[in-house]
Amino acid sequence: MDSSRKKLYVVIAFVLLLIGIIALVWYLNQRSGGELIGGELPNSDPRQETPGTDLTPEGTIITEGEEASREIAKNVISGMCAPNSKTVRYIERASGLVYERPLTGGVAIALSDTRLDNAYVVDWANNGSAALVTFSTQNNTPDFAHISFTSSSSQVTRLPETTAFAAVSPDGLRVAFAKQTDDGSVIATALPNGTKPTTLASHPQSQLLLSWDVVARPIVRNPGSAFVESLAWVLSGGSYTPLTPASYQLSILEHSSGRYVLYSAAETISDMPTLYLLDTKATSTKDRITIAPFTTYPEKCVWARTDTSIIYCGVPSSITKQIYDAWLRGEHHFEDRITRWNFRTGEVRIVSEGNYDAIELAVAPDDSALLFVNKNDSSLWSLVL
């Protein structure tokens, strides 16, 4: 064999080897679904990004089995589904401005132009028609504003400066508020502008929290703590009726019917908190109290709208003793599973798992979607139910 023929064979072998390498790369690329090694998918859908990335106009979507969650907005205090179950109203943390956006994503529309700087707490009317916003003034004292919504705008009314604590009525038309006195507090109700007041009762303590989920009466309680006992009372007819025993880590969530109360409590300062369901109309002690099959705080729960026996909660993977205060201050964070509990049947179902610390939960009027704020980064999410 002469040298020229040997060179020819070498060239042919090299060409065949090169063709084989190219074919192998093409084959592996097809098997990986078009993924390019060291690159990005062509025409990749930006909605498949993980939480924490920049939002597209449609929002960020994550699919967990058959459930899908979507990031609606960032820097949010709280959100509530509108009565049509198709849009969500939310209040921005830094400015206190109100926006509305479709649950399926889209452009956010401003519903207010009145700034409530340093807003940090929102109390919604049961039907989402109004909200009471707590914000901080220049001297770091709490101030309050009532926001009523129409189909495309809102009206903001500031409560009197003497207001110490407040809550909005279930229908959104009135507010319950506490004024501090030398002897404690005086609790009353009025229209948002302070007119037509009705004094309900006085209270010997000055540090109180109010909630008003039942038309007939508000609930008054001490702020919960892992280190100080607290108590909750029903205020009706000018008198207080204890709703819960004196407990550590006390927090409550009342159903709008007034029959059921979800509350967390620890008997002693060294105990783990337990989540209880109280049936105020039960005739026997056995039926009056139900212990939940998981541990969480009522701030991480919400009642279903169409079925009183269903509760949705963000359930942490673990809760340690005396962590409640640190969590409230934002010094501790949880990783939750969104869990559906039917307390009549005992059924517990995991709806979604994610790297979020769920608070400010709200359910659409038709129970089609769940809203929650991720306490880790103040982002607002919707979850298909």
Side-chain angles (χ1 to χ4, degrees):
M1 181 180 300
D2 56 30
S3 60
S4 60
R5 181 169 296 182
K6 287 182 180 180
K7 291 181 181 180
L8 178 62
Y9 289 155
V10 170
V11 171
I12 293 174
F14 177 77
V15 171
L16 291 175
L17 178 60
L18 182 61
I19 293 174
I21 292 173
I22 294 173
L24 178 61
V25 171
W26 178 87
Y27 173 73
L28 293 175
N29 185 51
Q30 292 299 309
R31 288 197 61 182
S32 66
E35 183 178 358
L36 300 179
I37 299 175
E40 297 180 351
L41 285 173
N43 302 317
S44 62
D45 187 346
R47 296 175 298 175
Q48 301 302 319
E49 297 172 350
T50 56
T53 56
D54 292 337
L55 285 175
T56 67
E58 296 79 18
T60 301
I61 299 176
I62 295 177
T63 301
E64 296 281 350
E66 296 181 355
E67 316 295 349
S69 57
R70 178 188 298 270
E71 187 173 1
I72 299 293
K74 295 183 181 296
N75 195 30
V76 174
I77 310 171
S78 182
M80 173 67 78
C81 288
N84 61 14
S85 295
K86 296 181 180 179
T87 59
V88 54
R89 294 165 180 163
Y90 59 91
I91 298 177
E92 190 177 63
R93 178 172 297 277
S95 65
L97 296 175
V98 184
Y99 295 90
E100 186 168 84
R101 191 175 189 176
L103 275 169
T104 55
V107 178
I109 300 174
L111 295 184
S112 70
D113 56 7
T114 302
R115 292 183 64 92
L116 304 172
D117 290 329
N118 302 314
Y120 57 94
V121 175
V122 178
D123 181 32
W124 294 92
N126 290 349
N127 57 7
S129 62
L132 187 73
V133 179
T134 307
F135 59 103
S136 180
T137 59
Q138 292 182 352
N139 57 359
N140 292 324
T141 59
D143 205 347
F144 303 87
H146 177 275
I147 305 176
S148 59
F149 300 101
T150 65
S151 59
S152 59
S153 63
S154 64
Q155 179 178 347
V156 179
T157 304
R158 295 198 177 192
L159 273 62
E161 293 182 357
T162 54
T163 303
F165 309 97
V168 68
S169 64
D171 60 10
L173 300 179
R174 293 177 68 83
V175 294
F177 59 93
K179 293 182 179 181
Q180 293 180 342
T181 66
D182 294 337
D183 300 323
S185 302
V186 172
I187 300 173
T189 65
L191 294 178
N193 61 6
T195 61
K196 297 184 179 180
T198 300
T199 300
L200 301 181
S202 60
H203 196 283
Q205 300 180 18
S206 59
Q207 297 298 318
L208 299 171
L209 295 177
L210 301 178
S211 59
W212 196 357
D213 295 316
V214 179
V215 175
R217 73 291 191 280
I219 287 179
V220 182
R221 67 182 177 94
N222 310 121
S225 171
F227 306 99
V228 179
E229 279 191 318
S230 304
L231 190 63
W233 303 268
V234 171
L235 177 53
S236 180
S239 61
Y240 296 94
T241 302
L243 182 64
T244 63
S247 308
Y248 296 90
Q249 304 186 57
L250 178 64
S251 179
I252 63 172
L253 177 68
E254 188 178 26
H255 188 266
S256 59
S257 67
R259 176 170 180 173
Y260 301 106
V261 179
L262 190 70
Y263 72 96
S264 62
E267 292 186 10
T268 70
I269 196 171
S270 59
D271 285 340
M272 289 284 293
T274 300
L275 187 65
Y276 299 96
L277 176 74
L278 170 65
D279 184 349
T280 62
K281 294 186 178 180
T283 57
S284 67
T285 304
K286 175 185 175 182
D287 296 331
R288 186 174 174 81
I289 297 290
T290 301
I291 298 178
F294 46 77
T295 301
T296 190
Y297 303 123
E299 291 96 331
K300 302 173 76 63
C301 297
V302 68
W303 301 90
R305 300 291 289 271
T306 60
D307 190 338
T308 59
S309 63
I310 294 177
I311 303 172
Y312 293 95
C313 291
V315 179
S317 56
S318 64
I319 290 182
T320 59
K321 299 177 182 179
Q322 302 177 352
I323 202 67
Y324 182 60
D325 298 63
W327 176 72
L328 289 177
R329 293 192 299 264
E331 298 170 1
H332 180 84
H333 295 281
F334 296 115
E335 291 187 4
D336 292 341
R337 291 180 172 181
I338 303 299
T339 304
R340 179 183 183 271
W341 175 37
N342 187 319
F343 64 81
R344 294 191 189 280
T345 66
E347 179 191 32
V348 176
R349 181 168 67 90
I350 306 301
V351 178
S352 179
E353 298 185 59
N355 184 23
Y356 37 66
D357 186 351
I359 58 171
E360 297 293 330
L361 280 70
V363 177
D366 61 359
D367 280 339
S368 61
L370 172 73
L371 296 178
F372 64 89
V373 171
N374 182 1
K375 198 171 187 288
N376 293 330
D377 59 5
S378 298
S379 56
L380 176 65
W381 291 74
S382 68
L383 177 66
V384 176
L385 297 176

